[in-house]
Amino acid sequence: EVPLGCLITVEMGKATDVGRAVLAADLDMDAPKHVFLMLFMLVDRLDASSHFKAYYDILPPTLSNMPIFWNSEELALLTGSYLLEQIAERNQA
């Protein structure tokens, strides 16, 4: 079991100043849970004493390792994979 204090939650993102502003704006978002998680991380990672600093420090500096951000030449390496269909669906969303 993972202690709650070790998790970054949607509620933590909603509790940030930016999160509260997003909630107040009543925006129509495709992936609101992801938005609030990202908001928390973007704000919290600026705090050098953050409980999650060790986690932030090991994250890759770019998203180039994720196939959704690959160019057509790199995606060609996945020919025959269901992942290509998933990427196409995500890009259309």
Side-chain angles (χ1 to χ4, degrees), residues 13-70:
K14 288 179 179 179
T16 65
D17 291 340
V18 178
R20 285 191 295 275
V22 168
L23 287 170
D26 196 29
L27 302 172
D28 183 26
M29 298 180 282
D30 290 333
K33 291 180 180 179
H34 291 96
V35 168
F36 290 112
L37 291 171
M38 288 184 284
L39 285 174
F40 177 81
M41 291 176 67
L42 287 169
V43 171
D44 189 60
R45 69 184 303 213
L46 298 175
D47 179 0
S49 64
S50 168
H51 172 70
F52 299 103
K53 183 176 181 341
Y55 170 65
Y56 301 142
D57 288 348
I58 64 167
L59 291 175
T62 69
L63 299 177
S64 62
N65 61 322
M66 299 181 70
I68 196 165
F69 299 108
W70 289 1

